């Protein structure tokens, strides 16, 4: 029996694949390669010394998704596949709704058809909107401000309805805070297309000289230095949480949501300073107005994951900076051979 990883060529899915293989699981990976490259699949095999089936499959195509379950005995699914760029989701919402919602509906339908009812789903702290207080607890009200976030919230609700209709489903909804870092080998990591939307890949591209300076989006938030605070979590810690969630589903029926964060908040400038200290690189930056839709402060209360999953993040900010930098310096253009613009 194998674990199916959807979106397994992507940033988080590739790290999950390594973690599962290193822990003795068999895996099957599918990915449309719409935001990733085959090279990451080769690197997973290189890192683990293990072969596994990979299929270039788009979940929007239900026939293709169904075939995977015909070919392979699947016991559970880790569902990472989805589009994730907040700004782009505002420009082309229908693409996001179609890809993320239709893809997930198709996946759930073929899972049900093949009697595979264990699912670990990649949700996001974005479902908390602009929280009234921190740290954020799973029971906080859910609200979203952009189509990307809405796909996550809608999928969470779809999964709850699915469980109401058939209580044999076992579903872990994992709400990620801000995943950064990379595998300690420097062989797999985040390979953004074009200009990075997220802070850490932007910083590493400035540090390596691909971009002139960082734009700090706002210094007038109610934080110690005025810049936005987030809960940055090492991607390897994050994927370890997925293994714990899988084991939790073996013991428990139902739908349960878990925050995956460290519980510590750092500002944009905290991250910049830590990165500079660890890498001995100056990060020139300019403060510019707030980015539309951004919130001031968001960090997790990770107690529920600690108590029910037996998981907590172990790696600190320095290790996150070190590993992001190792990935960037050993792969200046990510998985791309051609130089990015
Ligand atoms: P990613 O883009 O690196 O990986 C997602 C993968 O899914 C890509 O390889 C892409 O090609 C694939 N994919 C997209 N649509 C597909 C489809 N219809 N069929 C098959 N494959 C498809 O993103 P990531 O950072 O690894 O994120 C993984 C998941 O975690 C996503 O669902 C994302 O929304 C969620 N998430 C990410 C973050 C983050 O900051 N990275 C935070 C919260 C939640
Ligand atoms: C972090 C902080 C920015 C870039 C987004 C999505 C969220 C989730 C993770 C998927 C903020 C500041 C950033 C830059 C900056 N993804 N910043 N200059 O905004 O917390 O969350 O990614 O689910 O849904 O909204 O992460 O890395 O973009 O920003 O000053 O060039 O860095 O304002 O305070 P965010 P981020």
């Amino acid at each position: 029996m194998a674990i199916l990883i959807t979106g397994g060529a992507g940033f988080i899915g590739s790290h999950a694949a390594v973690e599962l293989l290193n822990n003795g699981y068999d895996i099957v990976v599918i990915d449309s390669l719409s935001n990733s490259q085959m090279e990451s699949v080769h690197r997973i095999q290189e890192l683990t010394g293990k072969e596994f089936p990979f299929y270039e499959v788009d979940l929007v195509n239900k026939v293709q998704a169904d075939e995977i379950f015909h070919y392979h005995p699947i016991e559970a699914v880790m569902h990472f596949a989805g589009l994730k760029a907040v700004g782009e989701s505002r420009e082309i919402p229908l693409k996001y709704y179609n890809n993320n919602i239709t893809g997930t509906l198709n996946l759930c339908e073929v899972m049900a058809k093949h009697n595979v009812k264990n699912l670990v789903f990649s949700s996001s702290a974005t479902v908390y909107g602009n929280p009234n207080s921190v740290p954020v607890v799973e029971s906080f009200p859910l609200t979203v401000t952009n189509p990307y976030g809405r796909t996550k919230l809608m999928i969470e609700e779809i999964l709850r309805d699915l469980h109401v209709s058939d209580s044999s489903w076992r579903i872990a909804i994992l709400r990620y805070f801000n995943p950064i870092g990379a595998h300690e080998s420097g062989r797999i990591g985040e390979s953004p297309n074009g200009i990075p939307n997220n802070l850490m890949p932007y910083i590493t591209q400035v540090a390596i000289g691909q971009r002139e300076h960082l734009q700090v989006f706002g210094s007038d938030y109610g934080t110690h230095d005025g810049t936005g605070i987030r809960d940055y979590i090492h991607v390897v810690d994050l994927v370890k949480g997925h293994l714990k969630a899988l084991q939790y589903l073996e013991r428990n029926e139902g739908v349960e949501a878990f925050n995956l964060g460290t519980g510590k908040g750092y500002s944009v400038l905290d991250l910049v300073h830590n990165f500079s200290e660890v890498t001995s690189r100056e990060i020139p930056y300019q403060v510019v107005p707030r980015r539309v839709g951004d919130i001031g402060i968001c960090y997790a209360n990770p107690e529920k994951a600690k108590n029910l999953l037996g998981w907590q993040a172990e790696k600190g900010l320095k290790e996150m900076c070190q590993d992001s930098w190792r990935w960037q310096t050993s792969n200046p253009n990510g998985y791309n051979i051609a130089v990015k613009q």
Side-chain angles (χ1 to χ4, degrees), residues 84 86 124 126 148 177-178 197-200 202 214-217 228-230 232 268 291 294-295:
K84 63 167 182 178
V86 171
S124 166
T126 196
Y148 163 72
F177 281 68
N178 289 60
N197 298 305
N198 296 113
L199 181 58
M200 182 55 107
Y202 207 105
L214 172 71
Q215 294 190 321
V216 174
F217 298 142
I229 287 184
R230 296 291 185 276
Y232 297 97
V268 176
R291 182 170 61 180
D294 268 3
I295 58 174

Side-chain angles (χ1 to χ4, degrees), residues 58-60 79 97-108:
D58 189 330
L59 283 174
V60 170
H79 179 34
Y97 288 120
N98 187 43
N99 190 78
N100 293 3
I101 307 279
T102 309
T104 304
L105 290 176
N106 286 345
L107 175 68
C108 291

Side-chain angles (χ1 to χ4, degrees), residues 159-175:
L159 296 177
R160 284 188 202 97
D161 286 341
L162 186 57
H163 178 259
V164 169
S165 75
D166 174 355
S167 62
S168 64
W169 277 87
R170 295 162 182 244
I171 301 171
I173 292 171
L174 304 183
R175 296 180 182 146

